[in-house]
Amino acid sequence: MIETASLVRAYVASLESRRIPFNTLKAYRSDLHRFVATMPGNLRSITLLEIESYLSAGGVGVATSRRRHACLRSFYHWLMLHEYLEASPMD
């Protein structure tokens, strides 16, 4: 299994290659680093309940919460597309 931090770096690099706006990249990178630091274990063991708990924590605004949700949905989609995971807890 590839280290989670390496997968985050590869995902962010894929966003950079698609010319995603700088502020979006910065926010997604930050969101994913926070997510990885918060979640125990590897990506395969993370449940929807844990993701929902992560998303509801922190007292952030609606826009930030929606961006974090979109970021995780996109990240998990990318993981499945590249066959790092068979299923996404986000679905």
Side-chain angles (χ1 to χ4, degrees):
M1 177 70 186
I2 296 174
E3 181 183 325
T4 302
S6 296
L7 292 172
V8 168
R9 283 191 299 274
Y11 171 68
V12 171
S14 77
L15 294 177
E16 290 171 344
S17 72
R18 292 175 30 210
R19 298 184 185 263
I20 301 297
F22 176 77
N23 287 340
T24 302
L25 283 172
K26 184 178 171 184
Y28 273 35
R29 186 180 296 114
S30 174
D31 292 343
L32 288 169
H33 286 295
R34 181 179 288 112
F35 177 71
V36 169
T38 304
M39 291 293 114
N42 68 44
L43 292 171
R44 287 191 173 128
S45 66
I46 296 171
T47 66
L48 179 58
L49 186 61
E50 290 171 321
I51 291 171
E52 288 173 345
S53 176
Y54 163 78
L55 291 172
S56 66
V60 296
V62 173
T64 300
S65 180
R66 286 182 180 161
R67 187 200 64 238
R68 287 180 179 173
H69 184 271
C71 173
L72 290 178
R73 181 175 291 282
S74 176
F75 180 54
Y76 273 101
H77 176 76
W78 182 88
L79 290 169
M80 289 174 47
L81 184 68
H82 294 282
E83 300 180 356
Y84 293 112
L85 293 179
E86 294 177 10
S88 169
M90 299 293 293
D91 293 331

